[in-house]
Amino acid sequence: MRRRTFLKVAAATATLASAGGGARVLAAPGVGTMKPFPEGFLWGCSTSAYQIEGAVAEDGRGPSVWDKFSHSFGRIANGDTGDMACDHYHRFQEDVDLMAQAGMRAYRFSIAWPRVLPQGTGAVNQKGLDFYDRLTDSLLARGIEPWPCLFHWDLPQALQDKGGWLNRDSAAWFTDYALTVAARLGDRAKNWTMLNEPSVVAIFGYGLGLHAPGVTGRTNCLTAIHHQNLAQGKALAALRAVGGGKGWRLGTVLSLQPSWPVGGLDANYPASKMWDALWNRSCLDPLFKGRYPEELEAEFAAIAKPGDLEAIRQPLDFLGVNYYSRMHQQPDPQGLFGTGYGSPPEGTRRTAMEWPFEPDGLAEILGELQESYGNPPVYIAENGADYVDTVGPSGRVEDGDRIAFLREHLLAARKAMDEGANVKGWLVWTLLDNFEWAEGYRRHFGLVQVDRKTMTRTPKASYDWYAKVIRKNAVPTA
């Protein structure tokens, strides 16, 4: 069901979902059967630099906004920081081996901007690029495609000191940085993603202040969205201009989560529509349609300059989609945009982070892209779940809940594909239990457990399950 269809019959749908024990539309054809994916479907995983690399002060890396934020008292659960993270900087070969042993054929990793350009601009830190050289070569040697992501939240602190994404010059800063990285890795890396979840960076980092850099305010939030959109557009154009004949495929990654009115109530519909405009369409619409959503158009017009929307609207070779759950919204006069989160339908399952477990929301997003945005080639760039991991008699984590989460979301995507959605691959979030931003290390999304004292990696049951999915190119229906 498309979102706009739902919103016309929201109350009835919410009632049915509640009566059925949660929002589920999937029916298993039979126990023990497998649902195949198309030949050539790309399987892999995603990570991000600050969440796994560590080595924050080694080999010339400069500080990022997350270094400063995580060392600010009370910002991160348990006072955790990314100083060590998963020590991927020193253990990347072990992690590449884990990917290869599972049969993964793609790895979306992020480049740490402050590792490459410690001041954000100017002098290049060759040792930083050397690390990504080694990583890229290691991936290719194991038959894994490198998918570099140029920005996954760790803006150099030196640039934040100049305003960060509130400074219009950030578009030029990012474009120069993108060209620097591509010049070094572009002879081997062919699939490039620009940004990861720009709306999330803006909402939580520049609007609510719950993430780095801890800035607040409605106008700041919208300004950060616009300047990220502009940076993305200018970088796409610049890379396309120099990439002729190099076989590059250019894309970006957006967090897309359907926004539903709490309880399906008409009174909650305007709030859900506003939150959809902010979270989803403030990035989707200018990229694909050359305009901002109507609900926020006037405010963005006060920020944008002539020619900006033309610069933002760029062709993509693919779109990365991160999906975790729907967002259930209701009016909240204290909310940044007059909205607030409410409860999903009664009976909806939840993860350990209390996020709703709603796999049919992924099919909904894919249908929306098909219906309203030209059905672009899509790679699910993040999907995964935090659960309380328990070590079983085998000595490893037996994470059946995580397996069920992944299985049902994969089946939802496959159902959408049967209905015409243009999905080309799946990059699970994530390989390793890592630094989960403001939640620190108390949240576990990984297929592989990481001992916080020894950094020992131990694959979970979900790792073996995913390896079987890859090997079979099919997902169990039960």
Side-chain angles (χ1 to χ4, degrees), residues 235-260:
L236 284 167
L239 290 174
R240 188 166 290 110
V242 302
K246 297 182 180 180
W248 292 349
R249 299 172 68 241
L250 306 178
T252 200
V253 177
L254 303 179
S255 172
L256 300 179
Q257 325 289 326
S259 179
W260 279 19

Side-chain angles (χ1 to χ4, degrees), residues 26 69 135 190 223 226 254 310 370 434 459 475:
L26 304 174
F69 191 79
L135 175 59
K190 304 302 179 183
T223 300
H226 180 69
L254 303 179
E310 290 79 6
Q370 182 182 353
N434 59 24
V475 178

Side-chain angles (χ1 to χ4, degrees), residues 60-350:
R61 178 189 179 277
S64 78
V65 293
W66 274 95
D67 292 293
K68 181 176 180 178
F69 191 79
S70 67
H71 281 270
S72 301
F73 180 78
R75 293 292 200 176
I76 311 296
N78 301 319
D80 293 336
T81 74
D83 291 0
M84 174 68 77
C86 301
D87 199 25
H88 176 74
Y89 189 77
H90 300 111
R91 298 170 181 260
F92 72 88
Q93 187 60 66
E94 183 180 355
D95 297 334
V96 171
D97 288 344
L98 283 166
M99 296 176 220
Q101 289 161 16
M104 298 183 196
R105 288 294 173 261
Y107 176 40
R108 184 179 75 103
F109 58 96
S110 74
I111 308 291
W113 191 340
R115 198 177 290 286
V116 175
L117 292 165
Q119 296 301 311
T121 60
V124 176
N125 177 31
Q126 296 300 332
K127 288 185 177 180
L129 282 173
D130 289 346
F131 168 69
Y132 297 108
D133 252 341
R134 296 192 298 271
L135 175 59
T136 297
D137 288 344
S138 177
L139 291 166
L140 291 171
R142 299 305 302 270
I144 302 170
E145 294 180 7
W147 284 57
C149 178
L150 290 165
F151 177 71
H152 197 130
W153 301 13
D154 50 353
L155 188 75
Q157 182 60 42
L159 297 185
Q160 184 56 42
D161 292 341
K162 299 177 181 179
W165 292 114
L166 301 182
N167 188 330
R168 185 178 171 85
D169 290 342
S170 56
W173 300 336
F174 180 74
T175 301
D176 290 344
Y177 155 65
L179 290 169
T180 298
V181 176
R184 182 69 173 269
L185 303 181
D187 59 329
R188 288 152 291 155
K190 304 302 179 183
N191 298 283
W192 292 86
T193 57
M194 302 300 104
L195 307 178
N196 181 82
E197 301 184 341
S199 68
V200 180
V201 171
I203 292 166
F204 288 99
Y206 289 85
L208 299 173
L210 300 175
H211 283 180
V215 176
T216 60
R218 179 168 174 145
T219 298
N220 287 335
C221 176
L222 297 179
T223 300
I225 288 176
H226 180 69
H227 288 160
Q228 286 180 92
N229 285 340
L230 186 61
Q232 174 181 277
K234 288 184 175 294
L236 284 167
L239 290 174
R240 188 166 290 110
V242 302
K246 297 182 180 180
W248 292 349
R249 299 172 68 241
L250 306 178
T252 200
V253 177
L254 303 179
S255 172
L256 300 179
Q257 325 289 326
S259 179
W260 279 19
V262 172
L265 300 177
D266 289 346
N268 295 332
Y269 169 70
S272 70
K273 198 164 182 285
M274 172 59 84
W275 196 250
D276 174 52
L278 178 67
W279 188 288
N280 297 312
R281 291 187 288 124
S282 67
C283 294
L284 269 176
D285 285 8
L287 178 59
F288 285 95
K289 299 180 179 181
R291 63 175 185 266
Y292 279 107
E294 181 181 0
E295 294 82 359
L296 297 168
E297 193 168 20
E299 290 176 85
F300 276 116
I303 298 165
K305 292 189 175 182
D308 282 2
L309 287 170
E310 290 79 6
I312 293 169
R313 188 178 189 181
Q314 294 290 327
L316 294 178
D317 296 306
F318 64 88
L319 175 67
V321 171
N322 295 351
Y323 174 80
Y324 291 94
S325 70
R326 292 191 181 96
M327 305 175 295
H328 299 270
Q329 293 289 304
Q330 58 193 0
D332 179 359
Q334 303 304 312
L336 190 64
F337 287 80
T339 74
Y341 283 85
S343 298
E346 184 180 352
T348 301
R349 295 166 291 171
R350 296 174 184 261

